[in-house]
Amino acid sequence: MRTKFFKGFLIFSLMLQLFINVFANPVAQAASLDIRDNYTISTVAGTGVAGNGEKGLDLYMAGPQGIALDSAGNIYFAEFSSHRVRKLAPNGQVTTVAGNSIPGSDGMGGAATAGQLYSPRGIVLLGHKLYIADQGSNTIKMVDLDTGILTKIAGTGTAGFADGPAANAQFNSPYAIDADTNGNLYIADYSNYRIRKIDKNGNVTTVAGNGTQPAQGTADWVPNNIDALSAKLLSPVSIKIDKVGNIYFGTNANLLQKVDASGKIWNVIGNGSLGDPNNGATAASVAFAPPMGLDIKPGTNEIYITTTFSRKIYRLDAAGKINTVVGRELIHPSIRTMDLRRPGT
């Protein structure tokens, strides 16, 4: 269990510092794209041990997951294991934004710090509202950062599948969340094998996935150039919407996929096999791993991807080539497609 925590914390730290250095730093954005030659990784919050604390580097973090950054430089992050969302301020102070460490959904409509979250994973910030994919409660919750009030905006709380008005909709382990430029929310609905959308009017619809798992080794395992609603998806784990509305998401089939404006699904990274790609390889043909974190560099078509399997961060360029930007070989490259994880981790 301790080894699993350290692995998760390491990936979170890498994601967080890459996000700050590459996406939030205008000097970094103007520098060379070879990140390994121009940037360093440093810890900005957490000691590597689960628990509590006040200063960022003294903080005992408990299962850090999704992150979001506001224009003032505050970093919000979900703590899966402590059932909270917290904020790291530019001065290094850490405060709790939502959750009282007791898993559940009590306290809706009241102070966010007194209300309950249940294993929050993904978060996204829209203006002064922070939206949370609350996996354990099968709901989507929201903190109004101006008032400090926590509300449930979608999901009955019962695991299941139902589209329709947000209050009556059902999710099953919502894992990741993002928003488009119009304020619509998109959710990687892990155990429903679907991508869901909550529009600004509070209606929930499905945009990808027919609700069934694909069989490995069949054409269904790597859906490509077909209607997204007919595709079989294996447990989507990450999601990111670009400026023109393309929906990128990672699945446990070791794929990064895209749904375009016409509703078609396209394969972007991965051939469905598990592995660690060579630098410069054509992304759609490589053995890959479940993309656990995604971001798109502003002003470019470059996508950055984290995987826990290879413990690396990759960059997909506009030409469809993939390269490692953080991390190094764990074992000999001749056995890249083998499981790099140690037994029991």
Side-chain angles (χ1 to χ4, degrees), residues 249-274:
F249 59 94
T251 76
N252 273 345
N254 310 310
L255 303 172
L256 177 65
Q257 305 221 269
K258 178 182 79 171
V259 176
D260 66 18
S262 73
K264 277 194 172 183
I265 191 171
W266 301 90
N267 193 46
V268 179
I269 302 178
N271 60 20
S273 299
L274 183 64

Side-chain angles (χ1 to χ4, degrees), residues 2 51 55 76 98 134 284 292:
R2 188 178 180 89
K55 293 289 288 184
Y76 298 84
D134 204 37
M292 301 304 295

Side-chain angles (χ1 to χ4, degrees), residues 298-313:
T300 76
N301 292 318
E302 295 174 347
I303 302 174
Y304 290 79
I305 309 104
T306 63
T307 72
T308 52
F309 167 75
S310 58
R311 305 182 178 100
K312 290 183 177 181
I313 298 174

Side-chain angles (χ1 to χ4, degrees), residues 105 118-119 133-141 152 154-160 169-174 189 191-192:
S105 285
Y118 195 162
S119 302
D134 204 37
Q135 184 184 15
S137 71
N138 302 301
T139 62
I140 307 302
K141 295 175 180 175
K152 181 179 70 175
T156 64
T158 300
Q170 289 183 310
F171 299 89
N172 196 348
S173 295
D189 199 2
S191 294
N192 273 327

Side-chain angles (χ1 to χ4, degrees), residues 153-155 163-169 171 183-185 197-205:
I153 68 157
D163 282 338
N168 300 325
F171 299 89
N184 302 300
L185 299 171
K197 174 183 176 181
I198 307 173
D199 67 25
K200 292 188 295 183
N201 296 319
N203 294 309
V204 178
T205 55

Side-chain angles (χ1 to χ4, degrees), residues 149-222:
I149 300 298
L150 176 67
T151 56
K152 181 179 70 175
I153 68 157
T156 64
T158 300
F161 170 74
D163 282 338
N168 300 325
Q170 289 183 310
F171 299 89
N172 196 348
S173 295
Y175 212 90
I177 187 168
D178 198 32
D180 64 20
T181 56
N182 295 317
N184 302 300
L185 299 171
Y186 295 81
I187 296 97
D189 199 2
Y190 184 91
S191 294
N192 273 327
Y193 318 115
R194 292 176 166 100
I195 302 299
R196 315 286 293 281
K197 174 183 176 181
I198 307 173
D199 67 25
K200 292 188 295 183
N201 296 319
N203 294 309
V204 178
T205 55
T206 297
V207 296
N210 66 8
T212 58
Q213 298 183 63
Q216 191 166 11
T218 68
D220 290 339
W221 190 257
V222 187

